[in-house]
Each structure stands twice: as structure tokens, then as C-alpha cells.
Amino acid sequence: MSTSDAGQLPTPVLEIQDLHYGFPTRSLFEGLCLSVDPGESVAITGPSGSGKSTLLSLVLRLIKPSAGRIRVAGTDVTELRRAQVARIRSESIGTVFQFGELIPELSPRDNVALAALLSRSDRRDSFQRAQRLLDELGVPEAATTQELSGGEHQRTAVARALINSPALLLADEPTGALDPDTAERTAELLFSLPRRNKCGLLLVTHDSRIAARADRILRVESRALVPAGERETVA
Ligand code: ADP
């Protein structure tokens, strides 16, 4: 785990300072701040349209803030060129979205290995690591990903998110398309990852039961993030 100059505090895996973003017709964020440490999970809640997904798009630098700084694993992504952004995304960020965003015609193993191959990992090593992760997460072998159940599909998306050992995991309504039991099991898996893998997890959800598993719950309110309740961190 990397540390700050003082050698005491861990470098946040995500640090957002004084973020401003909006459209000509509407301001979404004004002075939004957020810090996520390695091993920590943060849930973002708020009504539909409040800007939760847009915040993840800003962290991924799919869109650029009008002002403010976003650091991922210590690197300021706000001013990076496209190729550098692509590298940070592939090496430092893992994503799990509502529908998994996997390629249905590829096998689970190919989907997961592809993320490693795109970050220029060795071919044989990529496929071995992909298979190991899928075994750990209990995903059965399948010729195509579209054969998987909803839960298996999301566990494959989690494996893909983890294969490059990212510092930061972003999840956007990752349980939104699952039945309640599968949603619970998927949430349990996701929230076990920060401590197990020493990464940070930033998870967007409108489901208060899912959010309740996070170390911290924040709500988008008045174009910023405000605490919505806290849980004690389990050692
Ligand atoms: P959430 O994830 O909280 O449901 P989103 O981040 O998806 O919210 O969207 C935030 C708001 O920004 C929504 O009201 C959406 O309609 C609005 N929005 C998105 N793109 C544009 C745009 N190009 N111009 C104006 N408003 C937009």
C-alpha cells in the first residue's frame, strides 16, 4: 500500500477536490469533495437524476469537469491526455455496471482475460489469472457469457474488474438487474473486496439495503455529497 509523505496515512485511491460540473441548462456539482482510502467502501445514494452516474463518468474521465481536481491512486486525471487516461482506467480502475457490460458471445474466461490483454499483460498469464479468478468467484465454465445466470454474469463482471488488481473499484447500480437474493449475494461479494484486495470501492445505488453494507454512505444533495449515515469499520 502506498503512503503519503508523512509515511503514516495511506494515499487515497480516489481524491476529488472542489469539483464543478454542469450543462448549459443545469449545474450538477458545485464544490463536490470526496476521498476514498484503500480498503474502504463508500456508497453514493440520491434520487434519480441527481448526478450519481455522472460522478462516476467524471472519475473515469469519460467527461471532463469544468473545475476541480480528481486524483486516482495519486494521479491527477483531470488534465491527462487521452492515451494516459486510457492507461489509468485499465491499470487502476475496475468497473462493474448494472448489466455487467460483458461481450455476450465470448466465454466468461475470454471476457475476463480480455481486460488483462488490453492492459498489455502476457497472453498465457492473462488466461490463467482469468480462470483462477472465475474459479474463486464460483463462475462455471461456459462457451458463451450469455449462457450464465444473472448472478454468474455479475460475478464474471467482478472478475473482469479485478483482473488488473485495480486500486479503485467503481460500481454503478451493480445489483439493479438482479433478483433480491442474488442482489444480496452480489453485494456481499462486492463489499468484501476492499478489505480482501486493499482497494477502494465507490458504489452507486438507489437501494438503501445495498448501501447499508458500505463503510460510509453519502448522498448527492445541493450539488455536493453529504453524509447519509455511517457504520463502524470492522477491523
Ligand atoms: P443519476 O445517476 O443520479 O440518476 P445521472 O448522472 O444519470 O443521474 O444524470 C444527472 C442529470 O443530468 C439528469 O437529470 C440528466 O437528465 C442530466 N443530463 C445528462 N446529460 C445531460 C446533458 N447533455 N444536458 C443536460 N442535462 C443532462
Side-chain angles (χ1 to χ4, degrees):
M1 184 187 302
S2 61
T3 54
S4 66
D5 289 343
Q8 303 273 335
L9 299 169
T11 303
V13 292
L14 175 64
E15 206 173 9
I16 303 178
Q17 293 172 328
D18 199 23
L19 181 74
H20 288 66
Y21 184 77
F23 308 105
T25 50
R26 181 183 168 196
S27 165
L28 266 190
F29 303 126
E30 287 179 14
L32 181 146
C33 296
L34 172 67
S35 182
V36 181
D37 283 335
E40 185 184 31
S41 57
V42 176
I44 307 276
T45 64
S48 180
S50 58
K52 304 182 297 297
S53 297
T54 304
L55 181 61
L56 296 190
S57 297
L58 285 158
V59 173
L60 282 163
R61 249 306 299 277
L62 297 170
I63 49 179
K64 199 173 170 180
S66 41
R69 289 271 165 263
I70 300 175
R71 287 188 188 82
V72 174
T75 301
D76 185 345
V77 298
T78 38
E79 297 301 333
L80 290 185
R81 298 167 98 86
R82 194 188 293 195
Q84 296 167 306
V85 169
R87 200 165 141 201
I88 292 276
R89 263 188 224 137
S90 122
E91 291 180 358
S92 300
I93 305 178
T95 50
V96 182
F97 295 111
Q98 182 168 2
F99 298 106
E101 271 74 12
L102 301 165
I103 301 171
E105 295 81 8
L106 293 185
S107 70
R109 192 169 71 124
D110 288 350
N111 263 297
V112 177
L114 188 58
L117 292 168
L118 289 173
S119 76
R120 300 197 208 123
S121 292
D122 170 74
R123 186 180 162 79
R124 207 177 121 162
D125 180 54
S126 299
F127 281 97
Q128 282 178 348
R129 280 190 291 138
Q131 192 57 59
R132 208 177 311 134
L133 269 168
L134 290 166
D135 290 344
E136 274 171 31
L137 298 178
V139 178
E141 287 196 23
T144 63
T145 304
Q146 59 204 351
E147 294 169 26
L148 300 178
S149 71
E152 290 162 354
H153 193 269
Q154 282 310 65
R155 292 205 298 279
T156 305
V158 170
R160 186 198 50 192
L162 291 177
I163 194 155
N164 293 327
S165 304
L168 176 65
L169 282 175
L170 301 177
D172 193 352
E173 300 283 3
T175 61
L178 303 174
D179 64 72
D181 281 353
T182 312
E184 280 296 321
R185 285 202 298 278
T186 305
E188 195 176 334
L189 167 65
L190 279 166
F191 282 105
S192 73
L193 298 173
R195 279 181 196 88
R196 219 199 294 170
N197 295 22
K198 302 281 176 283
C199 55
L201 170 65
L202 183 63
L203 181 143
V204 159
T205 181
H206 68 276
D207 186 334
S208 55
R209 282 172 315 158
I210 302 294
R213 291 175 178 269
D215 297 325
R216 279 192 290 146
I217 308 172
L218 304 172
R219 202 174 56 241
V220 183
E221 195 177 294
S222 307
R223 295 176 278 284
L225 290 173
V226 297
E230 299 209 356
R231 293 181 68 219
E232 275 187 14
T233 304
V234 180

